[in-house]
Amino acid sequence: MTSPAVWSDAWARATAAAKAGGTAVLDPTDDIGSVPAGPYWVMETDTGLSDRMGAGEPVNQETGTIWLHLMVAKGTGTPAALALRISMSNAFRAAAALSGLSYFEQHFDPPSLSTDGTRYRFSLGIAYEFQNLPPQTGGT
């Protein structure tokens, strides 16, 4: 399960990069109203591991992928979509501000040319690792 702290860090990076590129990031579980007419991003995550680092260890370890899907209208042209995807990719190359979080290894999923509808999807997957200590409780 993706930690809220990881989601928040990725969301902040993605929305800043999207805004700089003149686009927006949509949360698929949020009430977005209408879909933008121009290019836009959709963010989701998947987690490969979420567990303690070892028996008796207080450190939680999580690995997964932040997925950002750039939705572009047919007729936009691939070079314009690739430029937007590269700028988003660069936003995840800087060191994470959140202690214990690191981004590495990026995957680029090309669109399917047989896609029905009015948009193509250019996906960017950013692998991450997050290690954190659970909240400390009072005691003796």
Side-chain angles (χ1 to χ4, degrees):
M1 166 170 53
T2 303
S3 299
V6 173
W7 173 270
S8 295
D9 185 82
W11 183 261
R13 288 170 185 267
T15 55
K19 184 177 180 181
T23 60
V25 181
L26 306 181
D27 178 345
T29 64
D30 200 2
D31 181 15
I32 58 172
S34 62
V35 174
Y40 64 91
W41 295 89
V42 177
M43 186 174 123
E44 61 183 346
T45 64
D46 72 59
T47 305
L49 168 75
S50 182
D51 205 354
R52 299 266 189 206
M53 286 190 70
E57 283 287 325
V59 178
N60 294 316
Q61 180 176 346
E62 174 185 318
T63 61
T65 306
I66 305 296
W67 281 102
L68 289 147
H69 308 290
L70 176 61
M71 305 304 293
V72 297
K74 289 182 178 180
T76 300
T78 298
L82 292 177
L84 287 170
R85 191 168 66 177
I86 287 170
S87 65
M88 182 62 76
S89 169
N90 289 338
F92 286 85
R93 295 188 188 277
L98 180 61
S99 178
L101 175 62
S102 60
Y103 296 106
F104 58 95
E105 195 175 283
Q106 297 188 5
H107 308 274
F108 302 96
D109 183 24
S112 171
L113 297 179
S114 64
T115 301
D116 291 336
T118 60
R119 296 184 184 267
Y120 286 114
R121 174 188 53 83
F122 288 77
S123 294
L124 166 63
I126 302 109
Y128 74 88
E129 180 177 87
F130 180 53
Q131 295 178 1
N132 71 326
L133 291 170
Q136 300 296 316
T137 59
T140 56

